[in-house]
């Protein structure tokens, strides 16, 4: 058995969900997503026991393209993030009603299939196919089942689609050029190419166009807040929790090892842009009156710090970036779900209309508070492990990078705690806030449990990711 089993399960699940009808679609999607998570855990166990779970077979003869999938600690960590969050996201949606739900849940599973393929692909063209496939489901999820004014939603989603598609075309051109040199799209063959300094610059820039938009990094971020706001909460969770990690993962897997000299040359600029995102996202978050938009800009600030860690080209930076990708995935999904719980009861996302919730539901208030503290990297949460490691790596490059990047902790604590005060504290709201349901409580407890457990015991992810990161850095240093 190899990693293609996960892809087949998710793909077949999306088809069966579609043909199952609206009544059973959500339950069937949940079963298949849980099956994918169980399969991931099983394959992870095989990988850790030394069993080869990679896959290589012919696909296209001219140009030479393979069904090539590589499962190392880095890719498996991202697949674990995808297959763990997907059932949680599906389960969290059980409190919502979706028109033509079979289409909706089939698209969610298909998106999980495409994102998993992106994390596993070890052939450049195959990777590009999965990268583009992941864009289609979220386009329709946001367009059809989104909220707010229909015309504004269409504009926001179309802008997102055009931005990401345009950036991806530059990446495709880069792959085509690399193929003319090596005669192969295989990752190991692309790693072996000895590019000139000028070639590395253009290849690096082409990849950067795709990844900077997907992450996003300033100034390529303008699509993000509107799409996060207009998409249904399930779509926002998929975007913020998993999809943006495709760009961060790809920086480590594809961009840095193929063009390391360019990465080292432009490191100060790349880290500077990333940290600018930290400051910009935090300052704009302070001004938001809509809860989903505040969380969107908070996410922009945190992923800016992750991107800065990636571009340090240090063991601590890359390791910390991966830890923070996983932690951020869970905490942002939890926070967006909390905003959805409030919306289900109050039918508003305006922060000023939400005061006094704590007096009606201390249980929900406590869980929301834990997620807020995790978001600001309180010691004892997994977010602290990731942010501390990234900041330490920045200090190794330049102390000022760490000092300025560290503002995400100060500013983040300010705007998140201020938001919590306005939403949860104050005079009791005139509207009744029903206590969390069993479904909602289970979702939040699982997310909180993950963040606290790995915050106190991060060793399993450290042992999984570190060897792959060290191998990547050896590749970077061997050809630069």
């Amino acid at each position: 058995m190899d990693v293609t089993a996960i892809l087949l399960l998710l793909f077949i699940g999306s088809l069966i969900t579609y043909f199952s009808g609206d009544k059973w679609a959500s339950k069937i999607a949940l079963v298949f997503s849980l099956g994918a998570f169980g399969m991931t855990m099983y394959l992870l166990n095989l990988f850790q026991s030394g069993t080869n779970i990679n896959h290589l077979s012919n696909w296209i003869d001219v140009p030479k393209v393979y069904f090539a999938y590589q499962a190392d600690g880095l890719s498996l960590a991202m697949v674990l993030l995808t297959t763990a969050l997907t059932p949680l996201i599906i389960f969290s949606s059980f409190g919502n009603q979706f028109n033509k739900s079979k289409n909706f849940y089939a698209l969610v599973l298909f998106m999980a299939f495409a994102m998993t393929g992106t994390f596993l692909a070890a052939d450049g063209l195959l990777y590009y196919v999965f990268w583009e496939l992941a864009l289609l489901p979220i386009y329709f999820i946001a367009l059809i089942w989104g909220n707010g004014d229909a015309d504004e939603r269409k504009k926001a989603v179309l802008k997102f689609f055009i931005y990401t598609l345009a950036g991806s075309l530059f990446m495709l051109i880069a792959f085509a050029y690399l193929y003319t040199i090596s005669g192969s799209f295989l990752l190991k063959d692309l790693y072996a190419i000895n590019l000139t300094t000028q070639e590395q610059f253009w290849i690096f820039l082409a990849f950067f166009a795709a990844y900077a938009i997907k992450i996003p990094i300033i100034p390529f971020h303008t699509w993000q807040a509107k799409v996060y706001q207009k998409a249904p909460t399930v779509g926002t969770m998929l975007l913020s929790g998993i999809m943006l990690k495709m760009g961060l993962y790809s920086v480590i897997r594809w961009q840095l090892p193929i063009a390391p000299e360019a990465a080292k040359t432009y490191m100060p600029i790349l880290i500077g842009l990333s940290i600018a995102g930290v400051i910009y996202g935090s300052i704009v978050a302070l001004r938001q009156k809509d809860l989903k938009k505040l969380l969107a800009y908070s996410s922009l600030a945190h992923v800016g710090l992750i991107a800065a860690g990636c571009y340090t080209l240090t063991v601590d930076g890359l390791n910390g970036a991966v830890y923070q990708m996983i932690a951020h995935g869970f905490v942002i999904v939890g926070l967006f779900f909390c905003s959805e719980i409030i919306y289900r009861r109050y039918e508003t996302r305006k922060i000023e209309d939400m005061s006094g919730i704590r007096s009606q539901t201390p249980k929900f208030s406590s869980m929301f508070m834990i997620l807020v503290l995790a978001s600001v990297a309180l010691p004892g949460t997994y977010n602290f492990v990731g942010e501390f490691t990234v900041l330490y790596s920045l200090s190794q490059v330049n102390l000022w990078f760490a000092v300025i990047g560290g503002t995400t902790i100060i500013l983040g604590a300010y705007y998140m705690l201020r938001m919590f005060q306005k939403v949860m504290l104050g005079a009791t709201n005139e509207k009744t806030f029903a206590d969390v349901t069993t479904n909602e409580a289970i979702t939040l407890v699982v997310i909180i449990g993950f963040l606290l457990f790995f915050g106190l015991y991060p060793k399993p992810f450290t042992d999984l990711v570190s060897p792959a990161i060290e191998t990547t850095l050896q590749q970077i240093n061997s050809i630069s």
Side-chain angles (χ1 to χ4, degrees), residues 312-387:
T312 61
L313 301 178
T314 64
V315 171
D316 291 318
L318 297 182
N319 275 327
V322 177
Y323 304 155
Q324 187 65 354
M325 283 186 226
I326 298 166
H328 176 267
F330 275 86
V331 79
I332 200 65
V333 164
L335 287 170
F336 275 119
F337 184 49
C338 286
S339 75
E340 178 65 18
I341 290 172
I342 297 171
Y343 183 77
R344 288 173 183 175
R345 288 148 176 81
Y346 284 174
E347 295 186 346
T348 182
R349 292 190 171 89
K350 292 183 178 179
I351 295 173
E352 62 186 18
D353 296 335
M354 299 177 182
S355 65
I357 293 176
R358 182 183 178 278
S359 60
Q360 298 188 58
T361 173
K363 184 192 301 182
F364 173 63
S365 178
S366 298
M367 290 189 286
F368 191 22
M369 184 64 184
I370 293 172
L371 289 170
V372 167
L373 293 176
S375 176
V376 301
L378 186 76
T381 65
Y382 197 42
N383 302 71
F384 173 76
V385 177
E387 286 204 8

Side-chain angles (χ1 to χ4, degrees), residues 67-129:
F67 280 116
Y69 303 100
Q70 175 178 310
D72 62 1
L74 175 59
S75 57
L76 283 176
M78 294 297 101
V79 173
L80 271 172
L81 176 69
T82 305
T83 57
L85 284 181
T86 301
L88 277 173
I89 292 171
I90 292 172
F91 187 62
S92 73
S93 72
F94 282 11
N96 300 91
Q97 296 294 325
F98 297 103
N99 183 37
K100 296 184 179 179
S101 60
K102 66 175 185 177
N103 297 359
F104 179 83
Y105 287 105
L107 286 171
V108 171
L109 280 184
F110 187 81
M111 186 173 174
F113 156 77
M115 292 187 295
T116 301
T118 304
F119 292 133
L120 290 172
D123 179 280
L125 194 59
L126 179 67
Y127 159 79
Y128 177 79
V129 169

Side-chain angles (χ1 to χ4, degrees), residues 354-359 420-429:
M354 299 177 182
S355 65
I357 293 176
R358 182 183 178 278
S359 60
F420 182 85
Q421 288 178 336
K422 291 184 177 181
V423 171
M424 290 293 167
L425 307 180
T428 302
N429 202 298

Side-chain angles (χ1 to χ4, degrees), residues 173-383:
I173 293 170
F175 277 127
Y177 181 79
L178 292 169
Y179 181 83
T180 62
I181 299 175
S182 67
S184 171
F185 289 109
L186 284 176
L187 184 65
K188 64 180 181 63
D189 294 332
L190 299 184
Y191 280 4
I193 300 175
N194 187 18
L195 297 172
T196 65
T197 301
Q198 188 176 23
E199 286 173 328
Q200 284 199 37
F201 169 77
W202 289 111
I203 295 296
F204 187 92
L205 196 61
F207 280 128
F208 185 77
Y211 303 153
I213 292 170
K214 186 78 77 177
I215 291 171
I217 295 174
I218 280 182
F220 306 96
H221 67 287
T222 55
W223 63 266
Q224 185 220 29
K226 274 289 185 184
V227 175
Y228 278 27
Q229 183 188 27
K230 298 300 181 183
T233 300
V234 167
T236 308
M237 290 174 174
L238 288 167
L239 275 167
S240 60
I242 309 171
M243 193 174 187
L244 68 81
K245 310 303 187 299
M246 287 166 48
L248 293 163
Y249 162 85
S250 299
V251 168
I252 301 173
R253 175 65 77 208
W254 296 91
Q255 185 186 33
L256 298 181
I258 292 176
E261 190 174 333
K264 290 185 176 182
T265 301
Y266 299 103
M267 180 194 295
I269 298 174
L270 297 166
I271 295 178
L273 285 174
S274 301
I275 292 177
V278 174
I279 299 170
Y280 174 82
S282 299
I283 292 174
V284 177
L286 286 168
R287 302 175 58 190
Q288 297 308 308
K289 298 178 181 179
D290 181 288
L291 183 54
K292 278 189 81 175
K293 287 192 76 173
L294 183 148
L295 295 176
Y297 283 109
S298 170
S299 178
L300 177 66
H302 284 97
V303 298
L305 188 63
I306 299 171
C310 291
Y311 287 121
T312 61
L313 301 178
T314 64
V315 171
D316 291 318
L318 297 182
N319 275 327
V322 177
Y323 304 155
Q324 187 65 354
M325 283 186 226
I326 298 166
H328 176 267
F330 275 86
V331 79
I332 200 65
V333 164
L335 287 170
F336 275 119
F337 184 49
C338 286
S339 75
E340 178 65 18
I341 290 172
I342 297 171
Y343 183 77
R344 288 173 183 175
R345 288 148 176 81
Y346 284 174
E347 295 186 346
T348 182
R349 292 190 171 89
K350 292 183 178 179
I351 295 173
E352 62 186 18
D353 296 335
M354 299 177 182
S355 65
I357 293 176
R358 182 183 178 278
S359 60
Q360 298 188 58
T361 173
K363 184 192 301 182
F364 173 63
S365 178
S366 298
M367 290 189 286
F368 191 22
M369 184 64 184
I370 293 172
L371 289 170
V372 167
L373 293 176
S375 176
V376 301
L378 186 76
T381 65
Y382 197 42
N383 302 71

